[in-house]
Amino acid sequence: LIAHRELGRVREMLLPLGALIVLVIVVPWYAALYQQSGWAPIKSFLFGENLARYVDGVGVNADRPFWWYLPVVFSDSFPWSLFLVPAAVLWFRERASARAGDVDFRITTLLWIWILVIVGFFSLSAGKQDLYIYPIVPALVALAGTVIARALAAEAPGTPRLTVVVAIIGGLLIVAGAGFLAIFNTSIAVYALAGSTLVGVSAIAGGATAMLLAWRRRLAPALGAVALALIVVNWVFVLKVLPSFEAYKPAPGLAAVLQERAGPDDLIVTYNVALPSLVYYLRRHIDV
């Protein structure tokens, strides 16, 4: 609204009613929590888990610079995040000719503001973690989808050529697949994980196919090769790789021992190791 000089439209919104609806949903839970445990857990959550994390970096044992989220934007939403570059070029090309009531351009501008405000806000925080900016993903993939749709439409002038981006994505998939094979299927492997070979081979095959099709300027099949490769990689990762990794996690065994020996009033503490799943297996509080 500020960007389009329409801040006065705030008066048209049902903000008081919206706030009331939120309170009706939220307050009963806090009231029940207060009745059971008092003010301490509410204070800890609101000021410790939120404000203190933002201002003092509580819970993050790393001094991360202001620009730390920039590579996160591109890595955590790969490969579609790479289309932000041509999407930005397209937006700059069209901003001069965009009319005041151009709905498509307004929505595109909103998507960019959505990303920039969230990333900018958390870039100012002392406790930066990648998951804090995950709400940008819907806006990011919408921008990527828009520029891809424009590129696939023959009647869309001025759209940047995307075959170069797809070729880069294909190359990165090849590198990632080769790295995965090297880490889990060579003499340097620490873990023997089921499905790791298929993950690496699928990424390499998909990346090579995408690069070849991009070189021949066949954008739609190249994008399809990338999408198919990532679908296969993700499903194999979930169905094979992750379950086989469970054998290396000590939490269930530790929980069984603690269940036999720890009394209901004993304090259970983990030191210098992250085992949050102990809470799940023991059904009780764990101090870190």
Side-chain angles (χ1 to χ4, degrees):
L1 294 176
I2 293 173
H4 292 287
R5 300 177 183 178
E6 298 175 356
L7 196 57
R9 289 180 57 192
V10 170
R11 294 190 297 268
E12 304 171 12
M13 300 179 181
L14 301 178
L15 296 182
L17 179 60
L20 179 61
I21 292 172
V22 171
L23 289 174
V24 169
I25 295 171
V26 172
V27 168
W29 189 89
Y30 281 101
L33 180 61
Y34 177 80
Q35 185 180 21
Q36 176 179 317
S37 304
W39 174 247
I42 300 175
K43 180 181 178 182
S44 173
F45 172 70
L46 294 178
F47 298 105
E49 294 294 328
N50 287 277
L51 186 61
R53 283 181 182 271
Y54 189 92
V55 176
D56 299 324
V58 172
V60 179
N61 299 320
D63 185 17
R64 290 165 175 167
F66 175 81
W67 48 264
W68 185 79
Y69 278 117
L70 184 59
V72 172
V73 170
F74 288 95
S75 62
D76 283 21
S77 298
F78 177 83
W80 315 116
S81 55
L82 298 192
F83 291 99
L84 286 179
V85 176
V89 172
L90 184 62
W91 184 87
F92 272 102
R93 285 179 180 177
E94 294 185 340
R95 66 188 177 96
S97 59
R99 298 182 300 275
D102 190 334
V103 175
D104 289 343
F105 187 77
R106 287 172 67 100
I107 293 175
T108 304
T109 303
L110 170 63
L111 295 174
W112 280 112
I113 293 173
W114 181 340
I115 294 172
L116 294 173
V117 167
I118 292 176
V119 174
F121 175 79
F122 285 106
S123 293
L124 297 173
S125 70
K128 299 179 180 68
Q129 296 194 56
D130 58 353
L131 57 91
Y132 292 164
I133 66 166
Y134 281 178
I136 73 170
V137 172
L140 186 152
V141 296
L143 286 170
T146 299
V147 75
I148 289 171
R150 292 284 298 273
L152 292 175
E155 69 277 5
T159 303
R161 184 173 293 171
L162 300 188
T163 50
V164 175
V165 178
V166 179
I168 293 173
I169 292 171
L172 291 173
L173 280 176
I174 292 173
V175 171
F180 205 81
L181 288 176
I183 292 173
F184 295 109
N185 292 274
T186 62
S187 58
I188 66 172
V190 176
Y191 301 108
L193 299 179
S196 58
T197 302
L198 184 55
V199 167
V201 171
S202 298
I204 293 172
T209 303
M211 287 190 73
L212 176 62
L213 291 169
W215 178 69
R216 300 181 64 180
R217 296 188 179 180
R218 299 183 61 188
L219 179 59
L223 287 166
V226 170
L228 180 61
L230 288 172
I231 289 170
V232 171
V233 165
N234 276 285
W235 274 104
V236 174
F237 199 77
V238 169
L239 296 177
K240 292 290 185 180
V241 178
L242 289 180
S244 69
F245 188 68
E246 290 298 314
Y248 297 100
K249 294 183 178 181
L254 285 174
V257 173
L258 290 169
Q259 202 76 271
E260 296 175 358
R261 304 188 180 188
D265 297 325
D266 289 338
L267 182 67
I268 297 179
V269 180
T270 62
Y271 173 71
N272 207 28
V273 64
L275 290 173
S277 54
L278 272 181
V279 175
Y280 169 79
Y281 289 113
L282 290 175
R283 294 291 195 272
R284 61 191 290 175
H285 176 75
I286 307 294
D287 277 329
V288 181

